[in-house]
Amino acid sequence: MSKIADLYIRVSTDEQADKGYSLRDQEDRLRRYCELKEISVRNVYIEDYSAKTFNRPGWKKLITALRKQKNIKNVTLLLFTKWDRFSRNTSQAYQTIDILRSLRSEPQAIEQPLDMSIPESKIMLSHYLTIPEVENERRALNVFYGMRRARKEGRWMGTA
């Protein structure tokens, strides 16, 4: 039986501007991967929301669709390009991975693949999930301190 995948594509406006991510580029890479691996694409979920939580419209649609298909016997794949497209919140990511598995969906980042049948893969998963969260927290602190410094220097920090 052929493999079936749902594709999850996410950017936040900041990331798209700062790092050059694009929805089209992610979708192209995911579709090429599926073509090479002979994986059928079932659904594509696209959104422009932060990955700090899973309270995202596209994500909610994906989970609702998986719950409706819970009686399917075969495990489906949930593919995204990198783990930071999936989440930037480590604790929520682990909980969500458990939910996905209970819904017979296996999350996988095509550019950071993990074989979860190998126990040591959990170490790499924690690495892939934690670094984006730490990056977000560092960026927030830098902004906070920068704004504080600007206020001390007498610069106006509100909107025009």
Side-chain angles (χ1 to χ4, degrees), residues 20-50:
Y21 289 113
S22 84
L23 298 170
R24 267 193 320 267
D25 181 59
Q26 287 180 59
E27 185 170 359
D28 287 346
R29 285 185 280 153
L30 288 163
R31 287 190 181 278
R32 269 188 273 127
Y33 176 88
C34 289
E35 192 176 309
L36 287 169
K37 302 284 185 177
E38 298 181 354
I39 299 169
S40 300
V41 174
R42 180 173 58 186
N43 294 307
V44 178
Y45 298 91
I46 298 174
E47 66 188 338
D48 183 9
Y49 278 82
S50 169

Side-chain angles (χ1 to χ4, degrees), residues 98-111:
D98 288 343
I99 290 167
L100 288 168
R101 288 184 176 149
S102 75
L103 297 171
R104 305 196 48 75
S105 183
E106 187 63 35
Q108 190 62 253
I110 64 167
E111 294 177 17

